[in-house]
Amino acid sequence: MTYHNPPTPPRKSATFDDAALAEIRRAAATGIYDIRGGGTKRKVPHFDDLLFLGASMSRYPLEGYRERCDTAVTLGTRFAKKPIELKIPVTIAGMSFGALSGPAKEALGRGATLAGTSTTTGDGGMTNEERGHSELLVYQYLPSRYGMNPTDLRRADAIEVVVGQGAKPGGGGMLLGQKISDRVAEMRTLPKGIDQRSACRHPDWTGPDDLEIKILELREITDWEKPIYIKVGGARPYYDTALAVKAGADVVVLDGMQGGTAASQDVFIEHVGQPTLACIRPAVQALQDLGMHRKVQLVVSGGIRSGADVAKALALGADAVSVGTAALVAIGDNDPRWESEYNALGTTAGAYDDWHEGKDPAGITTQDPALAARLDPIAASRRLANYLKVITLEAQTIARACGHNHLHNLEPEDLVALTIEAAAMARVPLAGTDWIPGHKGL
Amino acid sequence: MPAFDLSTTSIRALNEALHGTGEPLKDRRFEVRNPRGSHAVAVGCRDQITVAVHGPVGYYCGGMNAAATITVHGSAGPGVGENMMSGSIVVEGDASQYAGATGRGGLLVIKGNAASRCGISMKGIDIVVGGSVGHMSAFMGQSGHLVVLGDAGDALGDSLYEAQLFVRGKVKSLGADCIEKEMRGKHHATLEQLLSKAGMRGADPSQFRRYGSARKLYTFNIDNADAY
Amino acid sequence: MCGIVGLFLKDRKLEGELGALTAEMLVTMTDRGPDSAGIAVYGAAIPGFVKVTVQSDMPARAFAALDALARTAAGDAATVTIKDSHAVITIAADRIEPLRVALTGAPEPLRIMSVGETMEIYKETGLPKDVVSRFGIGTMAGTHAIGHTRMATESAVTTLGAHPFSTGADQCLVHNGSLSNHNNLRRELRRLGIAFETENDSEVAAAHLTARMRDGRNLGEALTDALGNLDGFFTFVVGTRTGFGVLRDPIACKPAVMAETSRYVAFGSEYRALSGLPGIETARIWEPEPAAVYFWDRDGSTGDKMLAA
């Protein structure tokens, strides 16, 4: 009798899965690390794992549409002569002209203005388009200082000193040359078409003790009018927040790892930093320990999509949130209407992240005049304003259901967590229990 | 000529007067006494005024200067003339780190030595140093000129873009992608003009060597990974 | 993240003013470090005696019986001088161990801040001006002093987290910067039997020097070793019974200014700290080079003496 081995089906490694294998081949073939736009794509614990309790017998809800639930927020009340007053607690995050096209920046400015909120420049200076179309514009002060000048500093409504961003805390970066067009090159004082290297530390200060002096200089130049924000990536949020306060910040902007980027190494985006969910409570704790909660405002960004996300961030102690990726989607990024063009680029709508290549079919992350012309800034701004108003309305709906007459009255006790991870990170109890893992007696 | 004694007057009062924000600018010449290392002296000036500072200043003196002529009769702390747009700043003594950092225009003259990172990330400013400069000077320099009559420290011009560097003395080492380049006629003329504007008499352009970018890091190449 | 000051006198006529000069330097650096302040003062030695500086959070109770405790452990020659939360116990040099045992067993907890023939360390949380006045630093005399104002980064704002850190008899260190490998180093040093009282990166730097000097290296050599073993950003000012040293990391982006005249050598994180020193207008002023060790020693030839560069 002969024995036949039964055939075993082919089995792929869970460790060396298709994505890992593809990346090894890509690195071997190209000799450069993978650079892309967008934020973290891996699944990390997020706001989805939190739920609001709502009111019933022990608490009373507010009547929707009739009983007020305020949404206004003032940023920069600590030292600035002219704090920023926003109608909604959702702002537009910093995205550069260079990374984005002129029409895209214009759309963001117009849309934010329609919704009563601010927008932010990026690593590339301030353009007349965005200043002209933004009622409230935050001017970023970055390590590269591209396009930095005192006239724009004075034209700004607030100054955001960028220490880090969620996509790459501790990192500088490299923007490949395709997007260094004539205008971008001129604004940045760079040769056209080169691969631009950016520094990770500011050129003229290091550490909070020096930052305090830098802030003094910026306040003196602008005659103490402008709120000074300090933006940090979600790395060590307790210390970073405390030190930003000690250095003299009016506002701390905290960007979790899901925060987007125009062009960063994939290894950085996916492997450095903490999820937004894990960053908020330590930052709020730092503010509370210093007696500065609500006095120095906390703006949280990184993966904010919906009114539920807004309400959850605020309940955990943020004063406002910032959206970047969601704003781009609202104005048309990764829209299925361009599917055939995404296919031609070897991708699909929803997955397109080669923003650094400047071939964006939606005309947003590009400097190609023909592509950029596809974006109608007026129509796009209407879409952005709609989106911002909808998520604010959603957050109000939740706040009313929890019995609050202002979004800022949402509190951690309004929340429970669906998973142990989210419970530990958000420091709220696991649903159905009074258990906050890792935080005895908090 | 209005004089501000910083042992009795605040920096705020000084800068407000220089900006003409409190009341409109009437005077064009100002004096500052007893700075004793104060920070943010005469920052954000935007008019054609003259400011004479008697004594040493701290961080960021003349920061973001546009149009003003500022003279420091003493030494300057970190970041003197940072992000300067135009006008001129003269430091009679030494300057600390980051002199002229990210400067976009104008002339910064340091008659003594400048410490490390002089002209870091410079974007069009002209810097003339009578003495020597420290390590990492002109790091990532994008545009403008750095003239050093003395020596340069380690890693001069590291990751340089299009800034041009002239050094009369020894260079301890060149940074990644920085190389010596030929001094041609037009470079002589540029240097001669810079030395004359800076009032550096007796320095002969032919004694200088010129350094610039090898432009090998302009396009990423994995075989240059040692330089990143 | 902090302010550092240091003053090493060459001219004996200035010794009476050491405390006043360094107190002013320290207060000038308040903006750089409002959380806590401390100073090591090298005063006069009494031949055959050593000074043990102790600290208590409840000095009224802890120091009430200190005199008796010191005499019991170290004999009738022992004296105790109380300054606010600190007390300096002066004893015969050969009575150190019995005193240490007695202090460890004291009914109220006491912390030994320093041991030395000439060095006393005073440090507390709070603003530099308050710390300076609580201990009467302004009236102290001595040969050299090293002070620090702290803006805490990652470790707690506590008395023990304040600088200077003592690294051995008559040795101390202050630090500005942020080390990135101090946790691994602390584990390594613990295995060598060195005890740690804080999670502070600067204490690890101090202990690293102690360990090296225990192996027979002198301070200059130990500092040179630190360049190879410490990762991150640092500027150190260190003191020994007769010496004063400065070390800056290879990146050297934290501020540091030095001044030298025929009468003193001074260190400040900023020029402001030096601006009240006599004759500063004509002093030689420079910034220490990256990765270089500077060291001055009263026992050596006069003037500066660089051990390594």
Side-chain angles (χ1 to χ4, degrees):
Chain A
M1 189 177 123
T2 54
Y3 180 81
H4 293 285
N5 274 333
T8 54
R11 181 177 177 190
K12 286 188 178 177
S13 165
T15 304
F16 288 89
D17 62 10
D18 284 347
L21 296 173
E23 176 51 27
I24 292 168
R25 290 187 198 106
R26 197 206 56 73
T30 65
I32 185 168
Y33 37 46
D34 187 21
I35 292 180
R36 66 173 177 87
T40 303
K41 291 192 168 183
R42 66 151 85 197
K43 189 168 172 57
V44 295
H46 198 28
F47 293 122
D48 294 335
D49 295 330
L50 300 181
L51 296 175
F52 282 99
L53 294 174
S56 56
M57 291 277 272
S58 63
R59 298 212 182 175
Y60 318 134
L62 300 189
E63 199 64 70
Y65 309 107
R66 218 160 295 139
E67 287 159 348
R68 273 193 75 77
C69 176
D70 287 337
T71 61
V73 56
T74 306
L75 301 179
T77 51
R78 187 185 186 193
F79 291 123
K81 281 188 207 163
K82 295 183 178 170
I84 287 204
E85 294 185 6
L86 307 176
K87 287 192 189 128
I88 62 171
V90 186
T91 68
I92 306 297
M95 290 174 275
S96 73
F97 170 74
L100 302 190
S101 66
K105 287 298 283 177
E106 181 183 335
L108 293 176
R110 285 178 182 272
T113 302
L114 281 173
T117 190
S118 62
T119 186
T120 311
T121 65
D123 196 359
M126 185 188 289
T127 63
N128 283 329
E129 293 99 307
E130 70 181 329
R131 176 62 280 188
H133 297 297
S134 306
E135 174 122 4
L136 294 170
L137 181 60
V138 182
Y139 188 26
Q140 283 194 331
Y141 190 77
L142 291 123
S144 69
R145 309 278 164 85
Y146 292 136
M148 176 49 56
N149 69 82
T151 308
D152 287 341
L153 208 63
R154 293 187 179 98
R155 290 205 295 168
D157 297 292
I159 299 159
E160 182 169 300
V161 179
V162 180
V163 180
Q165 72 182 89
K168 46 176 175 179
M174 177 186 290
L175 182 57
L176 298 186
Q178 295 93 325
K179 282 165 83 174
I180 311 289
S181 66
D182 284 327
R183 187 178 175 199
V184 172
E186 194 200 327
M187 280 184 72
R188 300 188 183 201
T189 331
L190 286 171
K192 188 183 174 188
I194 67 159
D195 292 347
Q196 170 215 306
R197 294 153 274 156
S198 6
C200 66
R201 292 201 311 270
H202 278 260
D204 57 354
W205 64 269
T206 313
D209 43 11
D210 282 355
L211 174 57
E212 182 173 352
I213 306 170
K214 174 51 73 178
I215 289 175
L216 170 73
E217 185 206 6
L218 293 172
R219 289 200 194 277
E220 283 294 325
I221 290 172
T222 54
D223 292 302
W224 289 75
E225 285 184 357
K226 322 287 180 195
I228 309 266
Y229 301 5
I230 295 180
K231 178 174 179 174
V232 294
R236 294 176 170 83
Y238 181 87
Y239 299 124
D240 292 342
T241 304
L243 289 168
V245 171
K246 285 186 194 176
D250 290 305
V251 174
V252 177
V253 181
L254 177 62
D255 191 22
M257 79 177 288
Q258 299 103 307
T261 170
S264 292
Q265 300 93 325
D266 179 80
V267 70
F268 227 139
I269 299 172
E270 296 289 357
H271 298 277
V272 184
Q274 296 203 59
T276 304
L277 186 68
C279 291
I280 304 178
R281 291 305 293 278
V284 172
Q285 183 76 53
L287 292 169
Q288 286 167 340
D289 287 352
L290 293 165
M292 284 294 181
H293 190 216
R294 305 291 188 214
K295 292 177 187 154
V296 168
Q297 288 78 31
L298 177 68
V299 179
V300 166
S301 54
I304 304 285
R305 304 149 300 179
S306 65
D309 290 347
V310 176
K312 288 168 187 174
L314 265 52
L316 294 179
D319 292 274
V321 299
S322 250
V323 294
T325 304
L328 296 187
V329 173
I331 64 173
D333 175 67
N334 266 299
D335 199 299
R337 67 189 283 215
W338 306 109
E339 180 62 10
S340 61
E341 295 194 36
Y342 289 124
N343 293 160
L345 292 168
T347 183
T348 181
Y352 177 66
D353 60 11
D354 288 328
W355 296 352
H356 57 286
E357 290 182 351
K359 296 175 187 162
D360 186 358
I364 295 169
T365 59
T366 181
Q367 293 302 318
D368 179 324
L371 291 172
R374 290 179 173 184
L375 187 80
D376 172 2
I378 310 286
S381 70
R382 186 63 246 174
R383 294 169 56 88
L384 177 61
N386 285 346
Y387 164 71
L388 292 171
K389 287 180 178 186
V390 166
I391 64 173
T392 304
L393 209 56
E394 286 175 345
Q396 276 176 305
T397 303
I398 288 170
R400 280 199 186 92
C402 295
H404 299 303
N405 66 9
H406 196 296
L407 291 181
H408 284 169
N409 293 338
L410 286 161
E411 53 190 13
E413 287 74 8
D414 288 319
L415 293 165
V416 292
L418 282 171
T419 64
I420 294 170
E421 288 84 352
M425 291 180 192
R427 304 185 190 177
V428 302
L430 186 66
T433 78
D434 56 3
W435 181 39
I436 303 176
H439 297 278
K440 251 187 235 169
L442 190 110
Chain B
M1 183 191 318
F4 291 82
D5 182 342
L6 291 181
S7 62
T8 54
T9 311
S10 68
I11 283 289
R12 185 76 286 264
L14 167 68
N15 286 324
E16 200 169 64
L18 299 180
H19 298 172
T21 40
E23 39 193 284
L25 206 59
K26 290 197 300 276
D27 298 290
R28 292 279 149 183
R29 301 176 74 81
F30 296 84
E31 283 214 355
V32 180
R33 300 202 171 270
N34 291 315
R36 293 168 63 95
S38 297
H39 304 318
V41 170
V43 296
C45 295
R46 51 185 149 173
D47 291 287
Q48 288 184 4
I49 56 173
T50 303
V51 184
V53 185
H54 300 279
V57 291
Y59 280 59
Y60 308 132
C61 177
M64 294 210 183
N65 182 46
T69 301
I70 299 168
T71 307
V72 179
H73 299 279
S75 62
V80 61
E82 71 87 14
N83 214 93
M84 185 155 88
M85 305 299 294
S86 61
S88 77
I89 298 176
V90 178
V91 179
E92 296 284 349
D94 295 333
S96 180
Q97 304 189 74
Y98 325 128
T102 76
R104 298 183 58 189
L107 175 69
L108 171 64
V109 179
I110 292 148
K111 294 202 173 164
N113 300 313
S116 64
R117 301 179 174 85
C118 179
I120 181 172
S121 201
M122 56 196 286
K123 296 169 168 53
I125 191 175
D126 292 326
I127 305 174
V128 180
V129 181
S132 299
V133 296
H135 70 286
M136 294 296 275
S137 286
F139 174 56
M140 285 190 143
Q142 294 173 223
S143 170
H145 304 91
L146 172 64
V147 180
V148 181
L149 275 70
D151 303 332
D154 269 321
L156 176 73
D158 195 289
S159 303
L160 198 65
Y161 293 101
E162 292 300 304
Q164 295 200 40
L165 320 178
F166 300 95
V167 182
R168 184 165 69 167
K170 292 191 294 288
V171 173
K172 199 166 171 196
S173 69
L174 291 173
D177 214 28
C178 183
I179 51 169
E180 186 174 348
K181 294 189 168 183
E182 191 194 346
M183 277 283 269
R184 293 196 296 272
K186 63 175 182 179
H187 305 120
H188 272 272
T190 304
L191 182 55
E192 194 154 23
Q193 202 183 6
L194 287 166
L195 288 166
S196 147
K197 273 206 297 186
M200 295 290 177
R201 282 174 245 297
D204 176 358
S206 64
Q207 298 168 320
F208 287 76
R209 290 163 177 252
R210 181 170 77 99
Y211 304 90
S213 177
R215 303 189 179 107
K216 287 194 175 135
L217 300 183
Y218 275 14
T219 308
F220 184 87
N221 180 340
I222 195 68
D223 295 326
N224 291 333
D226 287 352
Y228 285 102
Chain C
M1 294 296 133
C2 315
I4 295 179
V5 303
L7 185 61
F8 176 83
L9 300 178
K10 300 180 190 172
D11 182 353
R12 301 210 56 168
K13 292 196 206 80
L14 276 176
E15 287 179 7
E17 294 171 53
L18 179 77
L21 291 169
T22 45
E24 187 191 331
M25 294 168 82
L26 202 60
V27 171
T28 313
M29 289 294 95
T30 299
D31 296 345
R32 300 195 73 85
D35 292 333
S36 66
I39 192 162
V41 181
Y42 291 83
I46 307 171
F49 282 79
V50 292
K51 300 191 268 193
V52 178
T53 311
V54 297
Q55 183 269 353
S56 166
D57 291 337
M58 282 172 292
R61 274 168 40 200
F63 295 165
L66 194 58
D67 217 39
L69 180 144
R71 282 165 199 276
T72 312
D76 285 345
T79 61
V80 174
T81 311
I82 294 171
K83 284 188 181 181
D84 199 274
S85 62
H86 287 48
V88 179
I89 308 167
T90 307
I91 53 162
D94 58 358
R95 304 304 293 167
I96 277 281
E97 275 320 304
L99 180 72
R100 209 188 279 272
V101 171
L103 289 171
T104 314
E108 295 291 335
L110 289 163
R111 298 168 181 138
I112 299 178
M113 305 304 261
S114 66
V115 175
E117 287 177 37
T118 64
M119 182 181 76
E120 298 166 25
I121 288 181
Y122 299 93
K123 59 187 191 182
E124 274 300 352
T125 56
L127 287 174
K129 72 174 167 54
D130 298 328
V131 174
V132 160
S133 88
R134 281 171 71 177
F135 301 117
I137 302 297
T139 61
M140 292 181 77
T143 53
H144 51 303
I146 290 167
H148 186 270
T149 63
R150 178 165 184 237
M151 186 185 277
T153 46
E154 293 189 1
S155 55
V157 178
T158 59
T159 305
L160 287 177
H163 303 219
F165 287 94
S166 180
T167 55
D170 283 310
Q171 290 165 1
C172 76
L173 167 144
V174 296
H175 167 216
N176 183 19
S178 174
L179 300 181
S180 60
N181 66 338
H182 65 99
N183 293 308
N184 271 341
L185 264 182
R186 188 185 294 107
R187 283 185 276 270
E188 218 172 280
L189 291 165
R190 271 203 182 116
R191 278 198 295 277
L192 297 175
I194 293 179
F196 288 88
E197 304 200 78
T198 71
E199 293 303 306
N200 197 303
D201 58 339
S202 310
E203 189 185 9
V204 175
H208 182 265
L209 296 184
T210 307
R212 291 289 157 157
M213 287 188 282
R214 204 183 271 182
D215 293 344
R217 311 277 277 165
N218 68 27
L219 179 61
E221 291 164 340
L223 285 170
T224 306
D225 292 343
L227 280 173
N229 293 322
L230 301 180
D231 196 1
F233 297 80
F234 49 91
T235 302
F236 297 134
V237 178
V238 296
T240 65
R241 193 174 60 80
T242 56
F244 179 80
V246 172
L247 169 67
R248 237 176 152 195
D249 65 76
I251 296 173
C253 67
K254 296 304 293 176
V257 190
M258 300 205 65
E260 185 167 18
T261 71
S262 59
R263 308 184 74 191
Y264 59 79
V265 177
F267 179 98
S269 288
E270 297 175 24
Y271 177 84
R272 284 190 301 157
L274 311 178
S275 63
L277 292 174
I280 191 69
E281 304 76 16
T282 53
R284 179 173 83 93
I285 293 179
W286 79 102
E287 298 197 359
E289 291 287 318
V293 174
Y294 296 78
F295 193 64
W296 289 261
D297 200 322
R298 297 171 74 81
D299 279 355
S301 52
T302 51
D304 63 335
K305 181 174 149 197
M306 248 172 87
L307 290 184

